[in-house]
Amino acid sequence: KQISEDANALLPGSDLYFNNYATAEVHEAMLKDTPRNEAYASAIDKCKDFLEGKVVLDVGCGTGFLSMLCAKAGAKTVYAVEASEMAFTAEQIVKDNQMDEVIKVFHSPVETLRIPEQVDVIVSEWMGFYLLHESMLRSVLVARDKFLKPGGLMMPSQARIFAAPVSMNDYRREKIDFWNHVMGFNMTAMKSKAWEADMATPRVESLGAGSLLADPQLVASFDLATVTHEMLVRMDAALSFKVNRDGEFGGVCTYFDTTFNIPPPCRDNEPVVL
């Protein structure tokens, strides 16, 4: 019961979850994620012809970065909603960038948000570890069903989860084999405890393509315009891998990508993939 309560405290919608997003450290990490920033900036810039004069809802706006990109691209109005205390900082950032005539910041969960109109576009950086862990996708889907006009644009538009067997040799040497010899002492008895701790929860690691022991397989694919929360509660996939390189099997890696569709009348309609 206590474990369940502790886990629920970190779920989207809980006070602790929102408080985590009120710190500078979290937003610094996101704003230093260059591939993420460039993907959103490129997609929004490509959508300029579509965004011109449109109404945008930014779900979980954080510092207001995506809202300001949309305003810069020509949106008529951007409703920036943020449930954490960061909303007040975002409001100041918007003012400091002379965008407060276009961007309206709301300190509110999107589930209780009230705005005076439907929107043409929903933009959000909702993705969590392996896409769905601790992510706020459920809130984004609530916003879609409440506020998005028929045929409106979701940014991102699609998401996919992949899996592949991987070698973790470097990680094993650093974290597990460390116990073989510690300052001249044999501490191999600690290795089983180290493995036990490691296997208790999924690990978040940065792995290169050279760690893959087989070609990745698709686990799931979602269209953000139609997917429902119920479809995400349980996912089943029967996967078969043909190992194509030598290596010690260290586990199964899951990762994701997201696609931003570029609608007409935009001239460069090549999708942006993050």
Side-chain angles (χ1 to χ4, degrees), residues 64-87:
F65 173 66
L66 299 183
S67 294
M68 292 188 290
L69 287 177
C70 291
K72 184 179 177 182
K76 179 182 70 174
T77 304
V78 180
Y79 296 112
V81 57
E82 172 59 42
S84 79
E85 298 291 315
M86 187 58 63

Side-chain angles (χ1 to χ4, degrees), residues 253-266:
C253 169
T254 60
Y255 66 95
F256 68 88
D257 68 18
T258 55
T259 299
F260 297 79
N261 290 340
I262 311 300
C266 304

